[in-house]
Amino acid sequence: MADDLETLKNDTLTALAAATDQGAWDSVRVGTLGKSGALTGLLKQLGKLDPQERRERGQALNRLRDELTVAIEARGRELEEEALQARLTSERVDVTMPAPLPVTGAIHPISRTIEEMTAIFGAMGFAVAEGPDIESQWHNFSALNTPDHHPARTEHDTFYLPAKGGDGGEPRVLRTQTSGVQIRTMLTQEPPLRIIAPGRTYRADHDATHSPMFHQCEGLVVDRNITLGHLKGCLIEFLRVFFDKPNLPVRFRASYFPFTEPSMEVDIGWSKASGEIGGGSDWLEVLGSGMVHPRVLANCGLDPSEWQGFAFGMGIERLAMLKNGIPDLRSFYESDLRWLRHYGFSAFSPATLTEGV
Ligand code: DAH
């Protein structure tokens, strides 16, 4: 290779090695191979040479151009890679760093308790069902086998809304229980059914232990060959997981609800003196339950000789108070931030069976 080409080659390679960013690299590329680049200039002069010289010089220049093109491209890729690495380092996010705890918000104990119930029953194959807060008397009472003269229907207990067409002009009610969702579910879904229905309920009651608006969680299972054994197994399991007490004593006590036969109230063991759940020798009622009354199944078009079921209903505030040591029902609805910070839950650890309920 002629000396001037050797020099061009060495100068270019040195400049390439010294180019540490894309801009400097581009100047070397243009300065060598560009329209007015050094190598392009030499190629242009070929025409002035005589044929013999032109062939030799031409071959040498072509070789040099190939060599430099490869070197320039390689350096370009190197710089791109370096730039990418630099970005990856400077823009790195440490995903293992704990998120700052929410100082401005917390999950309300009622929402949390609904999440916990959903997680536990969800693991037992239950789906969540919903119904409206404003309900027809038929869904809230009649279809649930509640006679017209039943005390729950009196204005003393129930909020009635002005009659307005539909339902034969019969006034609607603010639902007094979530049990109407049983009816809506049986009317719209084919058995077998396994649902819970958490939601708001309303009664014309207001004192230290009653609020005109409160929450219940309904449960309904309809299938073939369902027995009281299934009801007991399911509710004992739920209560033991919910209170995180594998040996929690659970007692079933005969009772009456219009929509179940037989009906049972369910008590858990606790100590009245210390308030400890599962300890002591006292009993505390926590929910109502029973085998779905054949008339309720028939009201929903199901043949009671083919389908059986069990149902249950519980007060969400009551269970939340017992589990979390919350002494006053009214405090749930006061929106006192100090209370919420104390009894609320972090949004960063939702209720699941693996994270804990
Ligand atoms: N709805 C009842 C109440 O408000 C609770 C209840 C009891 C629901 C027994 C049920 C059940 O589904 O089987 O007091």
Side-chain angles (χ1 to χ4, degrees), residues 176-177 179 182 203 216 218-219 257 259-260 288-290 311-313:
T176 58
Q177 51 187 357
S179 304
Q182 290 187 35
R203 287 183 202 171
Q216 286 190 339
E218 195 75 18
F257 299 102
F259 34 86
T260 44
S289 67
F312 53 89

Side-chain angles (χ1 to χ4, degrees), residues 27 31 161 165 219 233 244 247 255 290 298 308 315-316 354:
S27 313
L161 293 148
D244 194 20
N247 299 313
S255 183
Q308 300 78 45
I316 293 178
T354 41

Side-chain angles (χ1 to χ4, degrees), residues 18 32 57 61 65 92 95 105 114 137 140 153 178 184 224 227 236-237 259 270 280 288 290 308 319 336:
T32 313
R57 179 94 173 151
L61 275 174
R65 188 184 51 195
R92 184 202 213 101
V95 292
I114 292 174
Q137 291 192 49
N140 194 73
R153 292 207 188 210
T178 44
R184 290 184 173 274
R224 293 186 170 91
T227 70
I236 292 172
E237 179 67 11
F259 34 86
W270 80 315
Q308 300 78 45
L319 284 168
D336 183 333

Side-chain angles (χ1 to χ4, degrees), residues 6-310:
E6 195 65 41
T7 310
L8 177 59
K9 178 178 162 179
N10 290 337
D11 289 353
T12 308
L13 294 179
T14 310
L16 265 186
T20 50
D21 59 47
Q22 306 259 335
W25 169 82
D26 211 42
S27 313
V28 178
R29 184 182 64 83
V30 174
T32 313
L33 304 173
K35 249 195 210 149
S36 349
L39 191 74
T40 316
L42 295 178
L43 282 164
K44 279 182 188 156
Q45 287 165 16
L46 279 177
K48 294 178 192 150
L49 304 178
D50 60 51
Q52 173 61 19
E53 245 182 326
R54 191 192 307 157
R55 187 147 35 82
E56 281 171 16
R57 179 94 173 151
Q59 278 172 357
L61 275 174
N62 280 339
R63 266 200 307 279
L64 180 60
R65 188 184 51 195
D66 290 349
E67 229 176 294
L68 289 181
T69 303
V70 168
I72 288 170
E73 279 173 4
R75 181 68 181 144
R77 279 193 300 274
E78 234 171 69
L79 286 173
E80 248 171 52
E81 178 65 18
E82 274 172 26
L84 179 66
Q85 287 307 330
R87 266 188 60 199
L88 287 178
T89 313
S90 69
E91 293 174 13
R92 184 202 213 101
V93 175
D94 183 357
V95 292
T96 65
M97 205 162 88
L101 285 177
V103 286
T104 52
I107 302 295
H108 194 284
I110 289 180
S111 306
R112 169 74 187 197
T113 305
I114 292 174
E115 264 182 32
E116 293 176 1
M117 291 173 172
T118 305
I120 300 168
F121 283 111
M124 292 196 258
F126 285 69
V128 173
E130 286 185 321
D133 288 18
I134 297 174
E135 188 55 289
S136 74
Q137 291 192 49
W138 188 77
H139 287 95
N140 194 73
F141 293 124
S142 313
L144 287 160
N145 196 37
T146 309
D148 287 345
H149 58 266
H150 195 279
R153 292 207 188 210
T154 64
E155 287 193 31
H156 177 74
D157 284 321
T158 304
F159 289 111
Y160 286 89
L161 293 148
K164 221 179 54 181
D167 301 321
E170 199 183 42
R172 293 185 171 219
V173 298
L174 287 181
R175 64 178 179 187
T176 58
Q177 51 187 357
T178 44
S179 304
V181 185
Q182 290 187 35
I183 304 300
R184 290 184 173 274
T185 305
M186 284 188 273
L187 286 174
T188 54
Q189 296 178 36
E190 293 288 318
L193 300 169
R194 242 185 259 189
I195 57 109
I196 57 165
R200 278 184 291 273
T201 45
Y202 307 82
R203 287 183 202 171
D205 239 350
H206 200 191
D207 59 35
T209 52
H210 296 91
S211 151
M213 189 280 299
F214 58 105
H215 297 75
Q216 286 190 339
C217 183
E218 195 75 18
L220 172 71
V221 169
V222 178
D223 207 334
R224 293 186 170 91
N225 305 316
I226 291 292
T227 70
L228 204 62
H230 296 116
L231 179 159
K232 291 178 73 175
C234 175
L235 292 178
I236 292 172
E237 179 67 11
F238 163 72
L239 290 167
R240 290 184 173 167
V241 176
F242 180 79
F243 287 107
D244 194 20
K245 295 241 168 356
N247 299 313
L248 181 70
V250 179
R251 177 174 82 170
F252 291 80
R253 190 166 33 79
S255 183
Y256 169 79
F257 299 102
F259 34 86
T260 44
E261 183 59 36
S263 304
M264 286 163 301
E265 270 164 332
V266 186
D267 302 336
I268 56 171
W270 80 315
S271 156
K272 212 176 195 161
S274 70
E276 190 203 337
I277 305 281
S281 52
D282 304 308
W283 293 100
L284 189 65
E285 183 208 318
V286 287
L287 57 93
S289 67
M291 302 305 292
V292 180
H293 197 295
R295 228 175 273 154
V296 174
L297 293 168
N299 286 342
C300 298
L302 296 177
D303 177 356
S305 64
E306 187 183 355
W307 300 102
Q308 300 78 45
F310 67 84

